[in-house]
Amino acid sequence: MGITESDARETEERLARSFEANRPRLLRVAYTMTGSLAEAEDCVQEAWLRLRGLPDPAVVRDLAAWLTTTVSRLALDALNSARARREQYVGTWLPEPLVEDRSRDPADRVTLDESVSMALLVVLERLSPAERTAFVLHDVFGVPFREIAGIVGRSPAAVRQLASRARRQVEGGRPRRPVTEAQQRELIDAFLAACQGGDLPGLIALLDRDIVLRGDGGGKVATLQHAERGAARVAPMMIARAREGGPLDIVLTQVNGAPGLVFRSSDGELSVMAFTVDAGLITAIDIVRNPDKLAKVPDLA
């Protein structure tokens, strides 16, 4: 007796439910690997199409593992393709920020935690695609080296070395003494008050001596052409920005799993500001202004 239309529909629905259950994790994998929510969503959608295209999806014994491998391969391909584009990028390239959106379907949201922090994603940009893949899959998502080997086309021993090299770079770029969410919110409140009040000494006291300020406008809106370093240089720039930007609509919200700011200037331009905090001081400020990277920022008014 052949498969009826009803049986086929039931199988399709069961497959779709299983896929949707895995979607949030798959989005995290692809986003952490690529730094782009748009590319991550494309990878996850392509994985679904490939799953549906299998002659008999029932042969997939471990659907979660199959999907993770498929999405990882697609994300690695996307990352390799993006390298050439990013070399021609105007100004500093920063990851696409993830701004918390409670109104969005949980299945379509990337879980916001330390694994997608702006600090981590910026460090990951320094790695080769293979190093990034090995570190993200093994250290963040717990994928065994033998499975990663098939994704990157290396031996398990070589993948272990890739992850080890990546881990050293990541550890050097992560906050050594991170603060609580409440402490970071309090620090950002003080930062805002100092900027808006023109309190230069007060602002400098909140910044690490070697703070780095980065801006990403993609050549489409005005921003920094290169990173600026040092509290004595960054603090006056931030105060000047607060004064010159005109009236701002500012919202304190979650940006990549940590308190950050979304603001719209009087001319309607949107910006997202992410902070890295270590030992109670702001060590990095990343401002994304490229409108292409802000299309999915929710209306927080």
Side-chain angles (χ1 to χ4, degrees), residues 104-175:
R104 199 174 186 190
D105 189 325
D108 293 326
R109 293 204 304 254
V110 179
T111 304
L112 298 178
D113 59 20
E114 196 274 340
S115 70
V116 295
S117 71
M118 188 64 73
L120 174 61
L121 293 175
V122 169
V123 175
L124 291 179
E125 282 299 309
R126 305 172 192 166
L127 307 178
S128 71
E131 287 173 337
R132 183 168 184 162
T133 301
F135 173 82
V136 168
L137 292 182
H138 182 266
D139 285 41
V140 179
F141 294 100
V143 178
F145 286 126
R146 64 180 181 278
E147 294 181 21
I148 303 172
I151 295 170
V152 299
R154 311 280 183 93
S155 69
V159 172
R160 187 183 298 273
Q161 289 300 315
L162 288 172
S164 178
R165 289 200 301 269
R167 195 176 302 119
R168 286 194 294 270
Q169 292 201 53
V170 169
E171 290 304 318
R174 274 179 169 168

Side-chain angles (χ1 to χ4, degrees), residues 9-277:
R9 185 166 55 252
E10 182 179 342
T11 299
E12 175 85 5
E13 291 174 352
R14 185 168 59 251
L15 194 65
R17 287 194 299 270
S18 298
F19 178 81
E20 290 303 317
N22 283 279
R23 182 189 286 271
R25 184 175 189 272
L26 297 175
L27 280 171
R28 277 184 67 210
V29 169
Y31 173 75
T32 311
M33 284 182 61
T34 64
S36 168
L37 183 57
E39 290 180 342
E41 291 175 336
D42 287 346
C43 290
V44 172
Q45 181 61 23
E46 177 62 24
W48 165 244
L49 294 176
R50 294 190 180 189
L51 178 63
R52 287 189 62 195
L54 294 176
D56 181 11
V59 301
V60 178
R61 295 183 178 179
D62 188 337
L63 181 61
W66 186 92
L67 287 170
T68 298
T69 296
T70 301
V71 165
S72 298
R73 285 175 173 156
L74 292 166
L76 179 58
D77 289 343
L79 187 57
N80 281 320
S81 299
R83 286 289 169 172
R85 296 195 303 273
R86 291 175 190 177
E87 288 175 0
Q88 301 172 357
Y89 196 78
V90 178
T92 302
W93 189 95
L94 290 174
E96 181 180 346
L98 287 179
V99 178
E100 185 177 47
D101 183 1
R102 288 297 180 184
S103 67
R104 199 174 186 190
D105 189 325
D108 293 326
R109 293 204 304 254
V110 179
T111 304
L112 298 178
D113 59 20
E114 196 274 340
S115 70
V116 295
S117 71
M118 188 64 73
L120 174 61
L121 293 175
V122 169
V123 175
L124 291 179
E125 282 299 309
R126 305 172 192 166
L127 307 178
S128 71
E131 287 173 337
R132 183 168 184 162
T133 301
F135 173 82
V136 168
L137 292 182
H138 182 266
D139 285 41
V140 179
F141 294 100
V143 178
F145 286 126
R146 64 180 181 278
E147 294 181 21
I148 303 172
I151 295 170
V152 299
R154 311 280 183 93
S155 69
V159 172
R160 187 183 298 273
Q161 289 300 315
L162 288 172
S164 178
R165 289 200 301 269
R167 195 176 302 119
R168 286 194 294 270
Q169 292 201 53
V170 169
E171 290 304 318
R174 274 179 169 168
R176 297 184 181 280
R177 294 169 58 192
V179 298
T180 65
E181 180 175 327
Q183 288 171 324
Q184 181 150 333
R185 285 181 175 271
E186 182 178 345
L187 188 59
I188 294 174
D189 284 339
F191 168 87
L192 267 179
C195 288
Q196 294 173 332
D199 181 3
L200 183 59
L203 181 56
I204 289 178
L206 303 174
L207 308 180
D208 184 84
R209 182 180 61 182
D210 299 318
I211 185 174
V212 58
L213 171 65
R214 292 175 287 250
D216 179 348
K220 299 186 176 184
V221 296
T223 190
L224 300 171
Q225 291 302 303
H226 52 79
E228 298 286 353
R229 295 181 180 275
R233 183 164 179 79
V234 170
M237 295 175 68
M238 299 308 300
I239 289 176
R241 165 70 180 168
R243 288 177 172 174
E244 295 170 2
L248 300 175
D249 293 325
I250 302 174
V251 177
L252 176 61
T253 186
Q254 292 289 106
V255 177
N256 285 75
L261 298 173
V262 175
F263 51 95
R264 190 180 298 276
S265 61
S266 56
D267 59 10
E269 291 184 347
L270 189 67
S271 301
V272 174
M273 184 178 292
F275 297 83
T276 301
V277 178

